[in-house]
Amino acid sequence: LPVGSDGHIWIRGAAVGDWSDTGDLGRVDADRYIYLTGRSRELIIRGGLNIIPAEVENALLEHENVLEAVVAGRPDPRLGEVPVAWVRTESPSPDTSGLLDFVRARLAAYKVPVAIHQVTEFPRTDNGKVRKHDLVHEPEGTELA
C-alpha cells in the first residue's frame, strides 16, 4: 500500500516462518515506522467502505465533554454494518447536535455514527478492556443522535 494508507499487518521472521496475519490494522509512514490503528475483526464495513473504529473514537474524544468513546458496527440490512458510538461524558447530556456536528467536521460522511448513545459506564473484561460486543447487544443508553 502507499505510505500512510491503512491496511492489514502481516509479519514474517525466524520465529514465524511464513507470512502470518497479526489481526491488526495499521499504516507505515515515510520513515517505515508502523502505526497500529485497530483490529481487523473490529473493522466496520459500511456499504463496501471500511471504517476503523479507533479513528471515529479519536474524533469523538477531541470533544471537550467526551471522557470515553467506543464505536462498533451494528448490522444493517442495506449497508451490511453501520457505525454506532457510545460515549461517557463529563456532564449528563451534552448538546446532541453539537456533538454530531463536531464529528461531521472531522470525518468523512460515511464514518459518522448513525447513533451516539450516552452511558454512565462501559461493560469491561476482567483486565479493563471495553466489551464492545456487549454494547451492540445490550439495551442502549440515552441516545444522543
Side-chain angles (χ1 to χ4, degrees), residues 53-118:
E55 181 182 1
V56 183
E57 292 165 356
N58 289 336
L60 286 162
L61 288 169
E62 289 178 22
H63 191 279
E64 63 185 13
N65 198 29
V66 176
L67 300 173
E68 286 185 282
V70 173
V71 174
R74 181 181 74 199
D76 182 85
R78 189 173 63 86
L79 297 171
E81 287 183 296
V82 292
V84 176
W86 292 264
V87 295
R88 189 172 65 81
T89 60
E90 216 169 272
S91 62
S93 55
D95 174 20
T96 304
S97 62
L99 186 54
L100 264 180
D101 290 342
F102 184 85
V103 174
R104 280 189 190 109
R106 285 159 174 73
L107 298 172
Y110 72 93
K111 295 179 181 181
V112 174
V114 297
I116 301 175
H117 302 279
Q118 187 174 21

